[in-house]
């Protein structure tokens, strides 16, 4: 296993940088940057990545360890959630499929990109962004009500290197050492889920459902008057 970790002062996006390295045949484990000029978020959004106050990292997983995209993203969310709980002793919630919430606000987002070669999945690039030391006023207006940081929640100065190391350690435990079965991963995600047993709104369908469960492959099990189904992608909000 190649353990090369690349540290960058500034980058467009650690996900894009990691993808380029992989396409050039380089073996890398992780790319970590202090600042992203255009961090990629879900649904084509930009992930707010100001200099010095967040963790912006991409963890590279090779094909042998790849399960479903949802499960990878959720397992990575679990790794980050546990790291936050272990170091700061605060409660985390996981908003399906990829956000970590503290006091109901987003402190971490995850975006996984798959790299294929000849039609086969070869790598998953797990991009993790954590708001570490942002002050409330550092967030742009549209994020002020929905985003938070570890510093805001704990009231303490946070050493982001310690948290970064812990997240990598937890990712290794889950994906390399495989300390958890898939079932255990799903159980741990369920324990922290912000959605289960609540009414949710599936944005791309414009429909309301009741969230019942997380499926064994990491999907969100919902029901409405017509029955149950599993959602594998898209944006879901609490109603
Ligand atoms: C989201 O919440 O929409 C996902 C955000 C993912 C952001 C991280 S920051 C590090 C990595 N590089 C990127 O360009 N995006 C991910």
């Amino acid at each position: 296993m190649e353990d090369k970790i690349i540290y960058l002062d500034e980058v467009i996006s650690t996900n894009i940088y990691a993808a380029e390295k992989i396409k050039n045949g380089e073996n890398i484990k992780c790319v970590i940057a202090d600042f992203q000029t255009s961090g990629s978020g879900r649904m084509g959004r930009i992930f707010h990545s100001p200099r010095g106050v967040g963790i912006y990292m991409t963890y590279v997983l090779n094909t042998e360890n790849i399960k479903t995209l949802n499960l990878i993203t959720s397992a990575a969310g679990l790794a980050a959630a546990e790291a936050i709980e272990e170091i700061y002793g605060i409660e985390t919630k996981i908003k399906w499929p990829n956000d970590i919430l503290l006091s109901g606000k987003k402190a971490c987002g995850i975006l996984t990109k798959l790299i294929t070669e000849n039609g086969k999945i070869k790598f998953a690039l797990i991009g993790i962004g954590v708001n570490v030391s942002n002050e409330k006023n550092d967030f742009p207006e549209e994020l002020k009500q929905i985003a938070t940081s570890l510093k805001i929640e704990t009231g303490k100065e946070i050493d982001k290197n310690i948290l970064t190391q812990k997240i990598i350690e937890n990712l290794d435990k889950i994906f390399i050492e495989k300390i958890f079965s898939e079932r255990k991963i799903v159980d741990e995600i369920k324990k922290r889920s912000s959605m289960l047993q609540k009414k949710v709104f599936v944005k791309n369908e414009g429909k309301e459902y009741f969230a019942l469960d997380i499926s064994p492959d990491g999907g969100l099990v919902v029901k409405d008057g017509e029955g149950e189904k599993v959602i594998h992608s898209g944006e879901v909000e609490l109603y």
Side-chain angles (χ1 to χ4, degrees):
M1 178 67 202
E2 177 61 52
D3 271 355
K4 184 169 175 190
I5 298 183
I6 300 176
Y7 295 93
L8 302 167
D9 181 49
E10 178 177 329
V11 71
I12 296 172
S13 146
T14 56
N15 274 13
I16 295 174
Y17 186 93
E20 280 166 4
K21 291 278 171 198
I22 297 289
K23 280 178 191 153
N24 289 338
E26 286 187 42
N27 280 321
I28 55 169
K29 178 188 172 89
C30 203
V31 178
I32 301 170
D34 201 42
F35 173 46
Q36 295 186 123
T37 53
S38 188
S40 333
R42 290 184 86 221
M43 310 288 162
R45 286 188 288 251
I46 300 284
F47 184 78
H48 181 62
S49 313
R51 186 179 292 282
V53 296
I55 294 172
Y56 316 117
M57 61 181 276
T58 298
Y59 179 89
V60 179
L61 191 61
N62 78 24
T63 185
E64 294 148 42
N65 302 305
I66 292 177
K67 301 169 172 79
T68 71
L69 184 57
N70 271 329
L71 205 52
I72 292 172
T73 304
S74 299
L78 177 62
E82 286 192 323
I84 293 170
E85 291 164 9
E86 284 160 18
I87 300 179
Y88 307 109
I90 53 177
E91 185 186 64
T92 63
K93 288 279 177 200
I94 298 178
K95 175 174 174 278
W96 185 89
N98 69 324
D99 291 347
I100 296 176
L101 308 181
L102 304 177
S103 307
K105 294 182 176 181
K106 177 166 170 169
C108 170
I110 297 175
L111 181 68
T112 307
K113 288 272 174 211
L114 298 179
I115 305 269
T116 55
E117 273 171 32
N118 304 322
K120 274 190 155 180
I121 297 171
K122 284 284 185 187
F123 296 95
L125 305 182
I126 304 174
I128 303 177
V130 188
N131 303 329
V132 176
S133 306
N134 317 59
E135 305 287 355
K136 200 169 171 54
N137 285 334
D138 293 341
F139 290 109
E141 219 40 61
E142 67 275 15
L143 295 182
K144 277 195 175 125
Q145 299 307 317
I146 54 172
T148 191
S149 73
L150 280 159
K151 185 174 179 190
I152 294 169
E153 297 303 320
T154 61
K156 292 183 185 143
E157 289 300 328
I158 304 288
D159 184 334
K160 67 178 181 148
N161 295 327
I162 293 177
L163 180 58
T164 307
Q165 287 315 313
K166 191 74 190 167
I167 293 173
I168 294 174
E169 198 182 299
N170 286 356
L171 289 165
D172 286 349
K173 280 186 185 160
I174 289 178
F175 292 115
I176 314 290
E177 297 160 33
K178 300 198 175 131
I179 58 154
F180 293 154
S181 63
E182 288 184 17
R183 189 171 162 180
K184 172 81 173 156
I185 291 171
V186 171
D187 282 349
E188 290 296 323
I189 291 161
K190 278 197 223 177
K191 270 195 219 162
R192 295 169 177 80
S193 173
S194 65
M195 290 198 168
L196 298 187
Q197 305 308 316
K198 295 199 178 124
K199 269 197 210 172
V200 294
F201 183 70
V202 178
K203 276 193 177 172
N204 51 317
E205 294 184 31
K207 279 181 75 177
E208 184 192 325
Y209 292 90
F210 189 73
L212 288 176
D213 204 356
I214 305 290
S215 65
D217 63 356
L220 184 69
V221 184
V222 295
K223 77 166 180 190
D224 67 0
E226 288 160 28
E228 282 183 31
K229 68 173 186 175
V230 184
I231 295 176
H232 291 286
S233 62
E235 267 196 293
V236 182
E237 296 293 342
L238 277 179
Y239 210 69

